[in-house]
Each structure stands twice: as C-alpha cells, then as structure tokens.
Amino acid sequence: MDFCVYCSCATGSYDRTCKIWNTRTGMEMSTLVGHENAVYVVSLAITGRALTGSFDKTARIWSLDDCECLCTMRGHLAEVVAVAVDQPTQTVATSSMDQTTKLFSAVTGQNVATLRGHTGEVVVNQFGSGGSTVITGSFDNTIKIWDIRTARCIATLYGHTAELTACHYDFSCKAIASSSLDGTAKLWDVRKTDSCRHTISGHTDEVLDICFDSVGRRVATASSDCSACIWDVSSGDLISAMIEHTGEVTKVFWEPAGHYLLTASQDHTAMFWDTETGECLQKLKGHSDHVFSVVMSYLGDTILTASKDNTCCVWKQFNSKNN
C-alpha cells in the first residue's frame, strides 16, 4: 500500500493487479492490469505515476492518467519483493529473491546497474538522501550500503544472526535501524560501519519491523511476541511498550508528528497508541483476518489497513492531537 497526497492510495494484490482508490469515498478510481503474477509492492513516489513490483520477476511504471504501462523493468530471475525511488536522480531500485538489487532509469526503464554481493534473498531497500547510496537488507543476515554511481558495495553491516526483516535510514541518513528474526533490533552509525551502536534485545521473539520517527530520535519495533516497543536512539533504552495485541505485531508506522504509533497485527486489528505512555487510544476493528500492513496519510488524517481477508479499510475517525 502507498498513499498519494491527493486523497488517493494504491494497493497491490495476489489477483495480479494494482488498484488506485479515492480515500475520501472508498471508491475504486482505476485498475492497473498487466502483471502476470501477484503485485507484491507498490509506490506512488513518482508524481503522476505508480511503481509496482511483482512475483512475475518484473517491475512496472504506470501512468495514473490513462492507466497505461510506461515501461517494464526486466532482468530479475525471481520475485521482486521491494522497490524504491530516488526522485532527484529518477532512479528505481528493485530487490529480489534472486539475491540481487537492480537500478533502473525511471524515465526509460533501462537497467543501469545490478548490485551483487548478498548470498540470500534481498527483501528491503532504501535510497539515501541525495541519491548517492542505497541500502539493502537480506536473508543472509546482513545490510549492505552501495554507491549507486559505481554499483560498488562500500560497507557490509554484520551482527544479526538470522534473516533481516527491515532496515531503514533515519531522516539524516547518518544512522540505520534494522530488525531481524534473531529477536533483536540494531542501530548503526553510517560513519562507523565496523560496529553496531546499540543492540535492542528487549523482545522475547522475532522482531518483524522497525522504523524511525520523523526526526530520528526514536525507533519503533514490532514483534512476534505480540508487542510493539519504542526505543531511544541515543541510548537504546526502552521508552514505552504496547502490549494489548493478542497476535504477532507485523507492522509499525509513525503518525507524522510523532505523538502516536500505529500497529498492525495477526489478531485481525490495528491499534492507535500514545507513544509516551504506551496507552492504546483506539482499536481499529473490522477485518476478519491478519492485518499485515498499516499506513497513515501525510496530513495525518487518514489511516489505511490491509488484511489477508482480501480487503483494505480506510479509517477517518480516531483520537489525535492534530484533529
């Protein structure tokens, strides 16, 4: 799922399509048809276009005006499971179960580089600010930092002992946060890539997701132990724990101002939390299966949840200091 600033969002599905929805009305605006297998990831980061990654081993860029496919990015030998866009350089990164990440021109769809070096599936990627680097996280337990101008790996971050589930730059791209099936999260200093700044080991089961707040002072983690936690980046200390879910927490997402946190869970719900106290302010009920993703609009006025019940829900009424 991904939001566009203009009251619309995009969803991908195992039905091989990407749909664009009006978040005010809940009505379908358009359907992007052409992939030959599940559409696993979507992005609206390119103005007026949609980017999709599919189990058919390709990624595509679509015009939102006429729903036409503008280009198909080919070359992967297995499923595409992560995509990212760098706006200034108009570069797309696609990561795949074939253990590689590829860089493409967002204008022509031409493959400009292939990043090889991981020995396991690459499941996450993100560009650094300025478009000079991209990070990748892999099932080989490592994170790699790449110079996209030379397609060379400039650092490998070792320390996790099981598969990576997520990794992200902070807003300044001076720090990286990672989560792993080894039950820990780690905070890394990009300027000192030979060691980990903090290892967060407070969860009692796999850590499934991690993300920074908008200013990079806190990280939130989601775990199979049915909890989400917020940690201080400078010290690695626990700030608050959210413990009301009855199933594994698969996704965490910060409200833009950082006052609140959203969580998605296998217990069929999403929850809206006060980040200082860990109090659940609202439980979003309505799905009949695992809620595996939750996002909030840039304005902080709309929440979108996606579930294995084959639906997405748009939520408008919730507690917020901004509304």
Side-chain angles (χ1 to χ4, degrees):
M1 299 186 300
D2 194 20
F3 267 106
C4 177
V5 279
Y6 300 112
C7 302
S8 62
C9 66
T11 58
S13 171
Y14 277 77
D15 68 8
R16 306 183 180 187
T17 70
C18 172
K19 290 185 181 289
I20 311 299
W21 307 86
N22 184 311
T23 57
R24 286 179 175 170
T25 65
M27 299 296 292
E28 178 185 333
M29 297 169 62
S30 56
T31 300
L32 310 180
V33 179
H35 280 294
E36 297 175 358
N37 207 326
V39 178
Y40 190 71
V41 284
V42 298
S43 172
L44 293 176
I46 311 173
T47 303
R49 291 181 281 174
L51 170 64
T52 55
S54 171
F55 285 179
D56 68 8
K57 308 175 189 178
T58 72
R60 294 184 180 222
I61 295 177
W62 309 79
S63 167
L64 296 181
D65 292 329
D66 55 16
C67 301
E68 292 296 319
C69 178
L70 301 177
C71 60
T72 300
M73 291 163 278
R74 305 180 188 276
H76 282 295
L77 303 178
E79 297 93 329
V80 175
V81 294
V83 296
V85 180
D86 180 63
Q87 285 277 21
T89 62
Q90 288 289 284
T91 303
V92 171
T94 60
S95 295
S96 170
M97 304 299 274
D98 68 7
Q99 304 183 7
T100 71
T101 294
K102 290 182 178 290
L103 303 179
F104 295 89
S105 165
V107 178
T108 65
Q110 180 182 1
N111 181 206
V112 296
T114 299
L115 310 181
R116 293 185 172 91
H118 281 296
T119 57
E121 296 90 335
V122 186
V123 294
V124 61
N125 61 44
Q126 183 188 0
F127 282 101
S129 58
S132 60
T133 63
V134 64
I135 58 172
T136 55
S138 170
F139 281 177
D140 67 7
N141 311 346
T142 70
I143 303 156
K144 289 183 180 290
I145 306 173
W146 306 83
D147 184 326
I148 66 172
R149 293 163 296 189
T150 63
R152 294 175 63 91
C153 176
I154 55 179
T156 301
L157 309 184
Y158 297 98
H160 283 296
T161 57
E163 294 93 328
L164 267 288
T165 55
C167 63
H168 299 282
Y169 275 122
D170 71 345
F171 79 105
S172 68
C173 294
K174 294 179 180 178
I176 293 170
S178 60
S179 57
S180 169
L181 297 182
D182 65 11
T184 72
K186 291 181 180 289
L187 299 171
W188 311 82
D189 189 332
V190 172
R191 296 161 296 186
K192 299 177 181 179
T193 56
D194 58 338
S195 63
C196 171
R197 182 195 298 176
H198 298 297
T199 295
I200 294 169
S201 54
H203 286 291
T204 59
D205 207 336
E206 299 165 341
V207 183
L208 303 178
D209 193 27
I210 191 168
C211 61
F212 283 101
D213 68 7
S214 61
V215 293
R217 294 176 183 168
R218 298 168 295 171
V219 290
T221 53
S223 173
S224 294
D225 67 9
C226 305
S227 75
C229 291
I230 295 175
W231 312 84
D232 182 89
V233 168
S234 62
S235 65
D237 292 338
L238 177 67
I239 296 173
S240 56
M242 293 78 169
I243 55 174
E244 290 191 30
H245 280 295
T246 57
E248 68 178 27
V249 181
T250 51
K251 190 72 175 177
V252 283
F253 192 92
W254 288 92
E255 173 258 346
H259 301 304
Y260 306 104
L261 187 75
L262 285 159
T263 56
S265 173
Q266 197 176 43
D267 67 10
H268 305 180
T269 71
M271 291 192 187
F272 190 64
W273 307 84
D274 185 301
T275 58
E276 293 182 3
T277 65
E279 178 188 2
C280 178
L281 301 177
Q282 190 158 353
K283 182 181 291 188
L284 307 182
K285 299 179 180 179
H287 288 292
S288 60
D289 205 338
H290 180 186
V291 181
F292 59 81
S293 186
V294 60
V295 294
M296 180 178 280
S297 66
Y298 302 109
L299 298 177
D301 60 354
T302 305
I303 294 170
L304 186 66
T305 55
S307 169
K308 287 187 177 180
D309 65 11
N310 298 328
T311 70
C312 292
C313 288
V314 179
W315 310 83
K316 288 287 190 177
Q317 300 298 323
F318 51 92
N319 294 302
S320 174
K321 296 174 185 177
N322 298 327
N323 292 282

